[in-house]
Amino acid sequence: ITEGKDIIASLAVEAELMKGLKLRSQLNYSYLSSVQDVYHASNTSQDAYDLKGRAQMNTWSSQDVLTETYLTYSGTYDRHTYSAMAGHSFDSALARGLYATAYGFVNDALQNEDMSAGDPEKNYISNSFSDSRMLSFYGRANYAYDDRYLLTVTMRADGSSKFGQHNKWGYFPSAAVSWKMHNEGWMKGDAVFEEMKIRAGFGVSGNQGISPY
């Protein structure tokens, strides 16, 4: 038997500070837990018979808290269109588990109610624990002229507790330029290409997909 519990909550607030300038703040929370309670009686399989019963009790839980706050600004002037965004986020993740298995019971009467009744030389107990945090700052700027020439520049800095003591931060810049050729006068009314766009960009990417310990 496996039972689980999921709790997910989110709260967001958004305000327009002035024309074109908005502030948004969001809080996300999630809690997950599961309990696995299994007993294999000695008469259910040859393996369970040879082990004189097998009892398993596994519990696992995790919680994650993510906060994010950022500003956005957008505007237009003549043929110019521009927007910008800047903000930060903080993520805290905690998980732990406990796993117990017992073998060698005198009989199957108590099943998982008394796992200490198993053979102490065969019983197995283990646990897991993970605690990590990440602080991020990021920004993006977009510019377009006459809906033909576009420029995007982004920057992100991530500081993770998983990184080494002398290398806590990672920096990830990127930039891209685009040309909407279909908006050029000499392509108006083209019967072959309804939309044509050329784009070039570069960037640095990374992740924190490593063990926190």
Side-chain angles (χ1 to χ4, degrees):
I1 299 175
T2 301
E3 296 181 353
K5 180 186 297 183
D6 297 351
I7 300 175
I8 299 176
S10 181
L11 176 65
V13 177
E14 184 173 309
E16 186 170 11
L17 305 180
M18 55 180 290
K19 184 179 179 180
L21 180 63
K22 293 182 180 181
L23 172 67
R24 180 178 176 86
S25 186
Q26 184 166 333
L27 171 65
N28 298 318
Y29 175 81
S30 67
Y31 174 82
L32 309 175
S33 68
S34 67
V35 177
Q36 183 184 46
D37 188 350
V38 181
Y39 183 79
H40 301 271
S42 58
N43 60 356
T44 57
S45 67
Q46 184 62 48
D47 182 57
Y49 176 81
D50 294 338
L51 294 171
K52 297 182 180 180
R54 180 176 62 192
Q56 289 179 290
M57 181 73 73
N58 302 322
T59 63
W60 178 85
S61 65
S62 72
Q63 66 176 4
D64 187 274
V65 179
L66 172 64
T67 64
E68 188 171 21
T69 301
Y70 57 90
L71 285 165
T72 58
Y73 179 76
S74 61
T76 59
Y77 175 73
D78 195 18
R79 296 184 179 183
H80 308 276
T81 303
Y82 45 86
S83 65
M85 182 271 290
H88 75 90
S89 64
F90 177 74
D91 187 17
S92 176
L94 175 67
R96 64 175 70 226
L98 178 63
Y99 317 98
T101 305
Y103 311 93
F105 295 90
V106 175
N107 55 57
D108 299 318
L110 296 178
Q111 299 190 10
N112 275 17
E113 298 302 318
D114 187 6
M115 294 180 66
S116 64
D119 187 341
E121 295 184 357
K122 297 180 179 179
N123 293 352
Y124 173 79
I125 298 177
S126 67
N127 71 296
S128 63
F129 179 81
S130 175
D131 185 12
S132 63
R133 291 163 300 281
M134 185 168 74
L135 177 64
S136 302
F137 297 93
Y138 48 83
R140 181 182 68 240
N142 298 306
Y143 170 76
Y145 175 74
D146 201 24
D147 198 28
R148 290 183 293 165
Y149 314 113
L150 292 80
L151 171 65
T152 299
V153 178
T154 66
M155 180 63 188
R156 184 181 183 97
D158 294 327
S160 174
S161 61
K162 294 182 178 182
F163 298 159
Q165 182 178 356
H166 303 293
N167 191 30
K168 285 292 185 184
W169 288 87
Y171 301 94
F172 310 103
S174 70
V177 293
S178 303
W179 178 22
K180 291 184 177 181
M181 298 177 62
H182 59 276
N183 285 339
E184 296 289 351
W186 47 270
M187 281 202 67
K188 296 291 185 180
D190 189 282
V192 179
F193 300 104
E194 182 176 341
E195 182 174 338
M196 179 177 289
K197 181 179 179 180
I198 296 177
R199 184 179 188 275
F202 80 95
V204 178
S205 63
N207 64 78
Q208 59 160 353
I210 58 176
S211 172
Y213 308 108

